[in-house]
Amino acid sequence: RNVACPCPPLPVRQVDAGGIGPNVATLVGFGAIRVKVLGNDDRAPAPAELGRMKALTAQGMCEGAFGLSSGLFYAPQSFAKTDEVIELAREAAKRGGIYDTHQRDESSYSIGLMNSIAEAIEIGRVAGLPVHFAHIKALGADVHGKAGEIVAVIEAARARGQNVTAGQYPYEASGSSLVAALVPRWAQDGGAAALVERIDTPATRARIVAEMTANLVRRGGAGAVLLSDTGKPWTGKRLDAMAAAWKVDAVDAALRIILANKGGGSPIVSFNMIEPDIKLLMRQPWVMTGSDGSAGHPRMYGTFPTKYAKYVVAEKAIDLATFVNSSTGRTADFYKLDRRGHLRTGYFADIVVFDPKAYRPRATYLEPALPGE
């Protein structure tokens, strides 16, 4: 990157010294900065606090980060207004960085999918840096079939000269937590302990239940929610099955699990995307393969072999060259990884050799940590 920073990229040197296998491009976390300065509170930063947040962003960039990442869907990042994000993104832009976002809404939770797409593009336009949508999707029945609109908006931004790209994992199910997927953001103001207190207070519990009921519909109902926590009585079961076992309704079952985890955690897999949207997004020349890896979902171990075995071989949604390039060169080019991602003279020999007849995933939703073969 063409950037002058007062401090050396120490964390990058530490990663190199550790002998990690994959190429690594670190990002400054907007959420980590907001929590450090503002805690878990639903409020805007005072001028001095915003100055500290900007300084932390600059420091992270100077220490070797490739850009700013955000997860505006999740509390407390969801409490941030667009202008706040822009201010930090500007610090990344000054130092040659990109903006990588889990956008504010992939469904109809708050501002809506298309307004969320527009917000991320606007952040990049105003701050002056490339925009990358993490695991782009149309999540939930309210927005199924919207992939074409997503493509049109991003293509229009690219035609105006913006560098806008996206990552994608090849699954109909997303990975999240019961809290993030179902609990309204106002109830998470102040963190997990504050959420537990609100659940235990009859008046606020009733309001939480009402909004969780609507959010559960967005997620496709209790039968579409697989509980992926480890070592729990509900591990590997659907939310509707646990509700039936406990003889309560689905939202009460979800609240029981959230309280058992003291207002946090509670990972889930929820089945809420459709194949036409997945395939349309996958075919775009600006979409990269990305696992968005997290425990409890087969995408961590199965993203690349699934994309190959299902969408190249079985369904022929994309060809082999598209699969390889979207999994290598596009990513390296976007993040400006020096001499990576392509088979070219003078480049590093980052080569994967696989048997095209045998390469397939083994990870499943019930056994998500099985490597491909």
Side-chain angles (χ1 to χ4, degrees):
R1 291 173 288 140
N2 182 18
V3 54
C5 282
C7 48
L10 179 60
V12 173
R13 291 204 303 267
Q14 290 174 336
V15 168
D16 287 342
I20 190 167
N23 297 319
V24 173
T26 56
L27 299 168
V28 181
F30 176 75
I33 289 175
R34 200 173 206 277
V35 169
K36 185 175 182 65
V37 177
L38 301 177
N40 290 293
D41 297 343
D42 181 2
R43 66 180 181 88
E49 291 171 324
L50 182 60
R52 187 180 175 203
M53 293 168 73
K54 292 167 65 175
L56 287 169
T57 304
Q59 177 184 336
M61 291 298 300
C62 288
E63 289 177 344
F66 280 64
L68 176 72
S69 64
S70 73
L72 301 182
F73 175 70
Y74 298 100
Q77 296 181 63
S78 58
F79 304 139
K81 300 295 190 290
T82 305
D83 288 347
E84 179 184 326
V85 184
I86 288 172
E87 288 300 307
L88 272 63
R90 281 191 170 118
E91 296 300 317
K94 291 176 186 176
R95 295 159 180 86
I98 59 96
Y99 177 59
D100 186 321
T101 182
H102 180 307
Q103 60 179 304
R104 193 180 295 273
D105 195 350
E106 298 170 328
S107 182
S108 57
Y109 278 89
S110 56
I111 65 174
L113 171 62
M114 299 314 300
N115 287 332
S116 179
I117 295 281
E119 179 192 37
I121 291 173
E122 180 71 358
I123 289 169
R125 186 191 68 80
V126 176
L129 76 178
V131 174
H132 182 75
F133 288 89
H135 47 73
I136 198 163
K137 64 174 76 72
L139 185 153
D142 289 350
V143 294
H144 285 168
K146 291 282 188 180
E149 293 182 41
I150 295 173
V151 170
V153 170
I154 292 178
E155 289 282 6
R158 288 171 61 86
R160 294 191 300 268
Q162 274 192 262
N163 185 357
V164 183
T165 62
Q168 183 195 41
Y169 53 79
Y171 291 94
E172 294 177 88
S174 64
S176 190
S177 71
L178 281 176
V179 173
L182 300 184
V183 176
R185 296 299 176 260
W186 64 264
Q188 299 176 55
D189 181 9
L195 170 60
V196 169
E197 183 176 345
R198 292 185 181 104
I199 293 172
D200 286 338
T201 302
T204 48
R205 182 186 178 105
R207 184 181 169 193
I208 290 170
V209 167
E211 294 190 39
M212 285 179 67
T213 300
N215 287 338
L216 187 57
V217 172
R218 287 188 176 91
R219 287 275 163 175
V225 176
L226 176 67
L227 304 165
S228 57
D229 213 342
T230 57
K232 304 289 187 179
W234 49 83
T235 300
K237 296 182 173 63
R238 303 279 179 144
L239 182 59
D240 59 349
M242 290 311 302
W246 288 335
K247 296 181 172 58
V248 297
D249 69 27
V251 169
D252 284 333
L255 287 172
R256 181 179 295 192
I257 294 169
I258 290 168
L259 289 174
N261 284 337
K262 299 180 180 179
S266 312
I268 63 169
V269 170
S270 57
F271 296 82
N272 39 45
M273 278 89 78
I274 58 173
E275 284 291 335
D277 285 338
I278 294 170
K279 290 176 180 176
L280 180 58
L281 291 168
M282 187 179 291
R283 293 187 182 107
Q284 303 312 308
W286 37 264
V287 170
M288 310 163 197
T289 315
S291 67
D292 190 47
S294 59
H297 192 297
R299 63 193 179 187
M300 177 178 281
Y301 289 87
T303 283
F304 293 87
T306 295
K307 186 170 181 176
Y308 172 75
K310 180 176 181 179
Y311 293 98
V312 176
V313 178
E315 301 188 11
K316 296 179 173 54
I318 57 173
D319 60 24
L320 178 58
T322 298
F323 163 68
V324 172
N325 183 247
S326 65
S327 303
T328 54
R330 289 180 192 173
T331 306
D333 292 346
F334 180 75
Y335 286 98
K336 299 179 182 178
L337 302 182
D338 183 33
R339 290 167 290 159
R340 306 281 182 177
H342 299 276
L343 291 175
R344 294 174 181 165
T345 301
Y347 275 53
F348 292 95
D350 296 334
I351 299 172
V352 174
V353 178
F354 65 92
D355 181 349
K357 294 182 180 179
Y359 186 45
R360 65 180 184 87
R362 294 194 303 139
T364 67
Y365 291 105
L366 295 179
E367 293 184 284
L370 297 176
E373 62 180 23

